[in-house]
């Protein structure tokens, strides 16, 4: 698969609904009123989710989780709208999606996810409308490597980032790749459209002047553009329903980005400024309390009992390794050339073979390993076997404990703060539901989170 060709397979809104929400306290969504309009399923302040849009989401979600209820999807949508709206008002995209430059842009992610969701929701009628041979494509404009060179070649200059100068962007907008049609509506895919839908790998492919890749991406964009147009015209969603789903996808992305920014996201490798702020303020008493109740997290290897054999060349080492693999006992083979010893952490800091022993689990012997070169002597080959590992605990006042415990405590506090923010925002929002759309007689006072 070429770089970025997986763009069309990006997880749609359904995947986000199923598995990508930030971890939150198990509290529900308060309901403030009842909708009487039969075509409206949910209203959050002045935003409405139609019953047609809810039905589309349900069809897709139930392919993965057949037991999902309308109430669960409505709950997730309400949370996304409220938290995503807060993120939209509180932060600009540069801060909200900081560190995302190597990935797809927020807009590209929204459009690809929306198209994927619609394609899953209306698979059969959409496939029939598309036809067997991309009949929605009216014309393909040829693209050559030479043309890409003329547009994107930087003349050997170092590329510090992928942002296009305005003049270069205008030239890409003027280069058509595909003309398409959905119903009576025509559309055009340009090289700039392709550029905007790429991550760093895809843009790197364009900078390598891969015309085939550019056209493949243009075909994917043409398919997605047809999907959106067909859904607006023929699915029952209408233009408004498609836009509702687009807004919901964008709000889910913002909600997840907000959770990461505030330290409550699932990705613990993400560097959250809020977690860093909280970590700096963790008290020594809290660190000691965490250490006392999570000692299993602070184990370390104090020493290992190891045996090793050294060989002058690889052939000898391979021959002995073969004997061991066929059942020869390590102690029998090593009598002629090996040593046995205990090594501790101090030795591991000084000796490469001790470091290897600390990293190797007890049990089978290692494969032959070439020792590092040192001086003029020819390096030999080693086989190492660890017989026993003695573990202990890092001291409670060690830097290892201080850093790990303060990080864990900061993330706990960040998650608690985020749950509090969520509860406050939901209580301040006006959320109304249509009982008929939820399949119930009367609207509940509280919708329980369940996705």
């Amino acid at each position: 698969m070429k770089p970025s060709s997986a763009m069309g397979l990006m997880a749609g809104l359904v995947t986000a609904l199923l598995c990508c929400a930030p971890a939150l306290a198990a509290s529900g969504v308060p309901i403030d009123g009842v909708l009487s309009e039969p075509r409206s399923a949910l209203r959050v302040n002045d935003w409405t989710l139609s019953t047609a849009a809810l039905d589309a989401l349900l069809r897709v979600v139930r392919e993965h989780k057949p037991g999902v209820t309308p109430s669960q999807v409505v709950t997730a949508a309400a949370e996304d709208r409220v938290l995503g709206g807060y993120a939209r008002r509180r932060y600009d995209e540069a801060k909200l999606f900081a560190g995302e430059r190597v990935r797809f842009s927020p807009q590209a992610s929204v459009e690809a996810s929306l198209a994927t969701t619609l394609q899953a929701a209306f698979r059969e009628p959409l496939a029939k409308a598309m036809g067997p041979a991309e009949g929605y494509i009216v014309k393909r404009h040829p693209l050559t490597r030479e043309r890409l060179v003329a547009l994107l070649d930087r003349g050997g200059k170092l590329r510090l980032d992928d942002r296009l100068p305005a003049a270069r962007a205008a030239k890409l907008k003027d280069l058509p790749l595909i003309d398409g049609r959905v119903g009576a509506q025509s559309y055009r895919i340009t090289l700039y459209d392709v550029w905007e839908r790429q991550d760093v790998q895809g843009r790197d492919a364009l900078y390598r002047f891969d015309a085939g890749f550019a056209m493949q991406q243009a075909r994917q964009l043409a398919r997605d553009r047809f999907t959106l147009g067909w859904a607006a015209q023929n699915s029952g969603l209408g233009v408004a329903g498609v836009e509702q789903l687009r807004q919901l996808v964008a709000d889910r992305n913002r909600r997840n980005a907000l959770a990461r920014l505030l330290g409550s996201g699932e990705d613990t490798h993400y560097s959250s400024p809020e977690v860093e702020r909280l970590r700096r303020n963790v008290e020594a008493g809290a660190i000691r309390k965490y250490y006392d109740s999570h000692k299993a997290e602070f184990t370390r290897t104090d020493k290992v009992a190891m045996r090793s054999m050294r060989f002058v060349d690889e052939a000898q080492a391979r021959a002995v390794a073969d004997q061991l693999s066929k059942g020869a006992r390590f102690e029998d083979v090593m009598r002629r050339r090996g040593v046995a010893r205990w090594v501790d952490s101090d030795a591991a800091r000084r000796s490469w073979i001790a470091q290897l022993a600390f990293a190797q689990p007890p049990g089978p012997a290692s494969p032959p390993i070439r020792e590092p070169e040192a001086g003029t002597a020819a390096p030999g080959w080693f086989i190492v076997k660890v017989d026993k590992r003695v573990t202990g605990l890092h001291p409670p006042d060690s830097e290892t404990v201080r850093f790990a415990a303060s990080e864990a405590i900061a993330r706990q506090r960040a998650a608690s703060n985020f749950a509090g923010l969520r509860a406050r925002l939901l209580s301040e929002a006006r959320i109304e539901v249509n009982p008929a759309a939820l399949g119930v007689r009367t609207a509940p006072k509280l919708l329980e989170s369940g996705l």
Side-chain angles (χ1 to χ4, degrees), residues 52 59 118 121-122 124-130 181-185 225-240 242:
R59 282 196 296 275
L118 293 171
F122 303 102
E124 292 185 8
L126 187 55
K128 184 177 180 180
M130 285 182 173
R181 180 179 296 275
V182 52
Q185 178 184 350
R225 194 76 61 84
F226 179 89
T227 297
L228 269 60
W230 178 90
Q233 296 175 16
N234 301 294
S235 69
L237 288 170
V239 173
V242 171

Side-chain angles (χ1 to χ4, degrees), residues 7-24:
M7 181 181 67
L9 303 179
M10 288 174 62
L13 174 60
V14 56
T15 305
L17 283 169
L18 286 170
C19 67
C20 297
L24 298 173

Side-chain angles (χ1 to χ4, degrees), residues 161-347:
D161 61 53
D162 290 328
R163 288 174 289 190
L164 289 175
R168 193 182 297 263
K171 291 181 179 179
L172 268 59
K173 291 177 182 180
D174 288 338
L175 183 63
L177 299 181
I178 287 178
D179 293 332
R181 180 179 296 275
V182 52
Q185 178 184 350
S186 298
Y187 60 89
R188 168 168 283 182
I189 307 299
T190 69
L191 184 57
Y192 183 79
D193 296 323
V194 170
W195 175 273
E196 285 293 291
R197 286 284 288 269
Q198 303 307 306
D199 63 359
V200 67
Q201 288 182 307
R203 291 179 179 178
D204 187 60
L206 294 177
Y207 272 124
R208 294 196 307 271
F209 317 122
D210 190 339
F213 171 77
M215 289 305 299
Q216 182 268 330
Q217 293 294 291
R219 288 174 57 205
Q220 178 65 57
L221 277 171
R223 175 186 171 87
D224 290 354
R225 194 76 61 84
F226 179 89
T227 297
L228 269 60
W230 178 90
Q233 296 175 16
N234 301 294
S235 69
L237 288 170
V239 173
V242 171
E243 183 57 28
Q244 290 165 11
L245 292 180
R246 177 182 282 109
Q247 293 168 350
L248 199 54
V249 172
D251 281 331
R252 168 54 62 112
N253 290 351
R254 294 188 188 101
R255 166 187 173 169
N256 287 339
L258 177 69
R260 288 193 299 270
L261 184 67
L262 299 184
S264 186
E266 292 183 342
D267 185 2
T268 57
H269 299 292
Y270 180 85
S271 179
S272 163
E274 178 64 8
V275 168
E276 178 60 25
R277 183 189 70 81
L278 292 170
R279 189 181 66 79
R280 290 195 301 268
N281 295 316
V282 172
E283 309 84 356
I287 292 174
R288 183 55 190 255
K289 184 177 180 180
Y290 186 91
Y291 174 84
D292 289 340
S293 58
H294 297 83
K295 289 185 176 179
E297 298 178 13
F298 300 104
T299 58
R300 67 179 184 184
T301 299
D302 286 336
K303 60 181 180 177
V304 298
M306 62 166 286
R307 290 180 283 176
S308 63
M309 293 182 284
R310 186 182 188 278
F311 306 89
V312 297
D313 57 39
E314 182 179 5
Q316 289 183 0
R318 297 288 178 195
V320 170
D322 184 59
Q323 294 177 39
L324 294 173
S325 69
K326 292 177 179 178
R329 297 197 313 163
F330 195 94
E331 51 268 34
D332 292 338
V333 178
M334 75 170 284
R335 284 195 185 110
R336 299 184 300 274
R337 65 179 83 242
V339 294
R341 54 180 170 148
W342 283 91
V343 293
D344 58 18
S345 56
D346 289 335

Side-chain angles (χ1 to χ4, degrees), residues 2 31 72 118 137 163 183 191 199 238 277 287 300 319 349 362 383 401 414 419 427 431 440:
K2 290 186 177 182
I31 302 303
Q72 289 174 303
L118 293 171
I137 293 180
R163 288 174 289 190
L191 184 57
D199 63 359
R277 183 189 70 81
I287 292 174
R300 67 179 184 184
R349 284 191 286 269
I383 294 177
V401 169
S427 69
I431 301 173
V440 297

Side-chain angles (χ1 to χ4, degrees), residues 89-148:
R89 296 187 300 272
R90 182 73 172 78
Y91 302 99
D92 60 30
E93 285 196 347
K95 183 171 184 178
L96 195 59
F97 296 98
E100 299 280 314
R101 184 175 295 173
V102 297
R103 302 181 184 179
F104 300 95
S105 70
Q107 184 60 30
S109 177
V110 168
E111 293 304 309
S113 294
L114 175 60
T116 302
T117 299
L118 293 171
Q119 288 159 9
F122 303 102
R123 184 173 290 108
E124 292 185 8
L126 187 55
K128 184 177 180 180
M130 285 182 173
E134 297 179 322
Y136 50 89
I137 293 180
V138 176
K139 183 178 180 180
R140 293 175 173 83
H141 300 268
L143 178 66
T144 64
R145 173 183 172 82
E146 290 72 24
R147 186 71 174 123
L148 283 177

